[in-house]
Amino acid sequence: MDKILIKMQQIKALNKIPNDWDYEFSKNGISYNLSEPINKILSFHKAGIEMYPAFQDIYKAFELCSFSNTKVVIFGQDPYHQPGLANGLAFAVNKGKKIPGSLKNIYKEINDDIGECVYGVGNLEQWATQGVLLLNSSLSVNKSEAGSHKGIGWGILIDSVIHLLNIKGGVIFLLWGKDAQEKEKNIDQNVNYIFKSSHPSPLSSYRGFLGCKHFSLTNELLIKNKKQPILW
């Protein structure tokens, strides 16, 4: 099949959030309009601009972590804008790729906090399938242009996701860094939990991320609420 046709079909598939998310949005009367970001992506594609992650991976966070299974939310910023890295999960990289500095610090904190890091690979799919929604604030990015899709409309979807999780309740939000903490105003803290720290980037991890103990604190809350803890 023609590669251009395949990509156009993949773009068309972006009109619907996968897994049980679309059903839950509809059931709870929450609309999410994806026309703006999809139209922008389509215009970039027609202009020959390379984007990450691959179109079929843009909703990977939702594919691997269903609404019904979501227990923890970790917000990232952009997908990695270098070739071959982004896989659709915040902070994660494709299998076989070098572990980025932020993820190295995440693993370091897990080891210091819990005593061991069960999964040392970079794709983080094992976290997602356990109920950790690894959600970037922008679900796509142009090659070599950090923040290039920040204003194309993904924020409307992210706000709708938070609204839906407020209805669910009992969700633990890990807000690392200024961009993630901008989401705090939309999170209902009467029914959810929030842990905050600096970003795990090597440039800011020493300001509070290292030593935050968010991973043990998260598991303690999950156990308290009779939920399965995460194997970090």
Side-chain angles (χ1 to χ4, degrees):
M1 187 181 290
D2 184 86
K3 289 183 179 179
I4 295 177
L5 180 59
I6 291 174
K7 284 201 172 183
M8 293 303 293
Q9 290 176 340
Q10 291 169 344
I11 292 173
K12 186 177 180 180
L14 295 176
N15 284 291
K16 183 178 178 181
I17 304 300
N19 212 320
D20 60 352
W21 288 92
D22 182 72
Y23 169 77
E24 292 293 340
F25 276 122
S26 177
K27 186 180 80 172
N28 288 282
I30 301 173
S31 61
Y32 62 95
N33 188 344
L34 297 171
S35 60
E36 184 178 355
I38 292 171
N39 287 338
K40 285 286 188 181
I41 286 174
L42 184 57
S43 67
F44 292 144
H45 176 63
K46 288 181 176 179
I49 296 173
E50 191 168 349
M51 291 168 279
Y52 306 124
F55 292 130
Q56 66 269 22
D57 290 334
I58 287 178
Y59 294 153
K60 179 67 70 66
F62 301 105
E63 290 176 9
L64 296 182
C65 183
S66 66
F67 169 81
S68 58
N69 195 36
T70 297
K71 299 182 285 190
V72 181
V73 178
I74 298 177
F75 285 112
Q77 297 175 14
D78 280 338
Y80 297 109
H81 56 81
Q82 301 88 350
L85 295 184
N87 72 348
L89 302 178
F91 294 102
V93 291
N94 280 315
K95 288 182 179 179
K97 297 298 181 180
K98 183 180 178 181
I99 306 296
S102 292
L103 188 52
K104 282 183 180 178
N105 281 331
I106 290 170
Y107 287 158
K108 182 182 187 312
E109 176 59 22
I110 292 171
N111 278 304
D112 292 346
D113 182 15
I114 296 179
E116 65 172 335
C117 185
V118 178
Y119 302 112
V121 296
N123 67 5
L124 301 184
E125 291 182 3
Q126 298 93 338
W127 290 7
T129 56
Q130 292 181 80
V132 182
L133 184 65
L134 295 157
L135 193 59
N136 280 313
S137 299
S138 293
L139 302 189
S140 55
V141 69
N142 288 344
K143 178 182 178 181
S144 303
E145 294 182 43
S148 52
H149 289 195
K150 185 174 182 179
I152 72 169
W154 289 126
I156 297 172
L157 172 63
I158 303 305
D159 289 346
S160 295
V161 169
I162 295 173
H163 185 187
L164 185 61
L165 292 173
N166 283 337
I167 295 171
K168 176 185 177 76
V171 178
I172 302 168
F173 290 83
L174 305 184
L175 306 181
W176 301 334
K178 182 180 177 182
D179 281 4
Q181 288 164 18
E182 288 178 356
K183 309 292 185 297
E184 182 177 5
K185 63 182 181 294
N186 296 325
I187 300 168
D188 186 349
Q189 297 183 53
N190 292 314
V191 296
N192 298 306
Y193 308 91
I194 293 177
F195 293 123
K196 296 188 291 183
S197 78
S198 65
H199 195 274
S201 162
L203 297 174
S204 58
S205 58
Y206 64 92
R207 296 175 187 162
F209 176 78
L210 295 176
C212 69
K213 299 188 179 299
H214 283 180
F215 303 97
S216 61
L217 290 169
T218 292
N219 279 350
E220 287 170 10
L221 265 179
L222 290 172
I223 292 169
K224 180 181 177 181
N225 291 324
K226 297 180 170 53
K227 296 178 181 179
Q228 190 71 24
I230 306 298
L231 290 174
W232 302 107

